[in-house]
Amino acid sequence: MKINSTPTKDNFYMPAEYARHRGCVMIWPVRPGSWPNSGAEAKKVFAEIARAIAESEQLWMLADEAHLPEVKVEFENDKNIHPVMIPTDDAWARDVGPTCVTDGTTVRGIDWEFNAWGGQVDGLYAHWEKDDAAAHLICNEISLDYYDAHPFVLEGGSVHSDGEGTVIVTEACLLSKGRNPKMSKEEIEKQLQEYLGAKKIIWLPCGIFNDETNEHVDNVCAFVGSAQVVLAWTDDQSDPQYAMSKACLDVLENSVDAKGRKFTVHKLPIPSNPVCVTKEELMGYQFEEGEDVREEGERLAASYVNFYISNGGVVVPQFNDKNDKVAVDILGRLFPDRKIYPIYARAIIVGGGNIHCITQQIPE
């Protein structure tokens, strides 16, 4: 049921990603403009990730009517994975699904407006009606009341909460002209506070280099505990990511959270070598009119910050890079009570995202 109120008025807030939760939502990858060769490789990786997550929580795998039988066959022996028939335009559950809020007892969803990361200005495909409808359909499927935040445009990957009143975002994304151009920064901040129950918004200037979401925060910085974050980092000053990460570090080091605490920043290296689209991968795409196209050699927004925290583990992207193990070791120290699941994620990143992008957490 749609709630005619706002989360703040009802004392609801966005919990931390690392808080215990009911489960998560994923979407089966089939869009030919995102997933080369009909998603053959992507589906294998999605299934591996889903099974890792489902070891400690429930998971709902969305698909349209044409692909639901395929999903049912794939997961017929996985008791915690539930196929659901909800059509979408692509497979980015974090961005199109409901952002969930809680009052400590009850969970509700937020249905933001979704416009494919920029609408007519710089959106990534021309039609996104199914994606925009997904959030309230998911809420109906898993029995969540929800708030309708339309026409405010927001994606789930563009906000990250500590569950204690602090939310981090990037200016590059939330102030982009394709989202809410008629609103000032102050007005956008008030909207975030009203819907996420936030007391303080930390505005980082930017995200990961060449991130086509206009630099979502979930690819560059994430909470890992109270007043603790990981930040994507490189020491290579010739890499364009260096200046971007340094600008974010400057903000974090000169900020306090909603409770007045200084941040502890854990630097998480980006891959040592850029991850780029290959000629073979490019041949596997089928782009439709109005869709953003890829180019051979295009640098992809690879980051280890884009991990997923399950109740029992942390699913960490891997890129066949020497920093893979470094990232696993750092996250293992930060989450000593959770199992680390290193998963080769190239098949996801060639679709334009990463592990966190394809999951949407549902709190308890």
Side-chain angles (χ1 to χ4, degrees):
M1 181 178 72
K2 182 162 41 175
I3 303 295
N4 187 26
S5 182
T6 66
T8 292
K9 290 177 182 176
D10 298 336
N11 295 314
F12 278 70
Y13 63 93
M14 184 180 178
E17 189 83 9
Y18 45 82
R20 183 166 180 84
H21 49 278
R22 179 179 171 191
C24 85
V25 174
M26 294 178 65
I27 304 171
W28 199 235
V30 298
R31 185 181 180 89
S34 293
W35 311 105
N37 305 313
S38 301
E41 291 302 314
K43 290 172 183 176
K44 295 176 185 176
V45 181
F46 272 56
E48 185 180 2
I49 291 168
R51 291 190 173 102
I53 293 171
E55 287 189 10
S56 60
E57 62 190 68
Q58 301 297 308
L59 187 142
W60 295 267
M61 183 67 74
L62 276 53
D64 60 16
E65 186 175 6
H67 295 90
L68 189 64
E70 179 182 5
V71 172
K72 288 181 175 178
V73 169
E74 175 67 39
F75 299 109
E76 62 183 344
N77 296 319
D78 297 279
K79 63 182 179 65
N80 282 344
I81 300 177
H82 314 290
V84 177
M85 206 284 280
I86 294 178
T88 56
D89 296 294
D90 206 346
W92 308 111
R94 172 70 49 170
D95 291 345
V96 306
T99 299
C100 290
V101 291
T102 181
D103 64 355
T105 302
T106 303
V107 175
R108 293 174 179 171
I110 303 172
D111 181 7
W112 312 102
E113 180 164 333
F114 177 81
N115 69 354
W117 309 275
Q120 300 299 326
V121 177
D122 56 358
L124 299 184
Y125 38 81
H127 304 285
W128 54 79
E129 295 83 4
K130 294 175 184 176
D131 280 347
D132 189 37
H136 80 264
L137 294 175
I138 293 168
C139 288
N140 291 341
E141 174 67 28
I142 60 178
S143 301
L144 294 183
D145 292 336
Y146 66 94
Y147 300 94
D148 187 352
H150 288 69
F152 187 74
V153 176
L154 192 83
E155 306 91 38
S158 67
V159 293
H160 211 278
S161 172
D162 67 351
E164 300 179 66
T166 309
V167 169
I168 50 175
V169 301
T170 67
E171 294 177 343
C173 177
L174 268 66
L175 303 185
S176 65
K177 295 185 183 301
R179 287 180 173 74
N180 301 289
K182 295 182 180 180
M183 299 180 71
S184 67
K185 180 178 179 179
E186 292 72 24
E187 289 170 331
I188 291 172
E189 180 164 313
K190 287 180 181 178
Q191 190 81 341
L192 295 176
Q193 291 172 331
E194 189 67 30
Y195 277 87
L196 301 178
K199 305 299 183 185
K200 184 164 187 178
I201 309 297
I202 303 294
W203 291 86
L204 303 182
C206 48
I208 290 292
F209 176 71
N210 218 29
D211 187 339
E212 58 193 359
T213 65
N214 299 110
E215 301 169 26
H216 272 183
V217 73
D218 72 343
N219 214 16
V220 70
C221 186
F223 284 107
V224 293
S226 297
Q228 293 194 64
V229 297
V230 289
L231 176 68
W233 188 260
T234 177
D235 289 322
D236 181 1
Q237 296 188 24
S238 68
D239 191 306
Q241 188 58 47
Y242 176 82
M244 298 171 75
S245 293
K246 179 63 166 60
C248 293
L249 179 64
D250 290 345
V251 171
L252 291 165
E253 288 185 336
N254 289 282
S255 300
V256 294
D257 68 7
K259 295 192 172 185
R261 300 171 297 200
K262 295 286 291 183
F263 290 102
T264 298
V265 180
H266 305 275
K267 294 177 179 177
L268 198 59
I270 61 172
S272 60
N273 294 304
V275 180
C276 302
V277 176
T278 67
K279 180 179 180 180
E280 292 73 23
E281 287 165 340
L282 188 63
M283 292 173 61
Y285 292 105
Q286 297 177 40
F287 301 108
E288 66 177 30
E289 185 177 353
E291 186 169 12
D292 187 57
V293 300
R294 299 202 175 284
E295 298 177 356
E296 182 182 350
E298 176 183 339
R299 178 166 167 171
L300 300 170
S303 169
Y304 301 106
V305 173
N306 209 294
F307 51 81
Y308 177 79
I309 307 170
S310 69
N311 282 332
V314 182
V315 185
V316 183
Q318 303 280 271
F319 305 104
N320 199 17
D321 185 272
K322 69 178 185 180
N323 281 339
D324 286 359
K325 186 178 185 303
V326 178
V328 165
D329 290 345
I330 290 172
L331 291 170
R333 291 194 296 271
L334 292 173
F335 295 100
D337 298 328
R338 285 179 163 96
K339 178 181 177 180
I340 303 298
Y341 297 88
I343 293 182
Y344 185 55
R346 185 176 184 92
I348 299 176
I349 198 169
V350 298
N354 220 311
I355 287 173
H356 195 257
C357 306
I358 66 170
T359 58
Q360 176 59 281
Q361 201 173 90
I362 307 297
E364 278 188 324

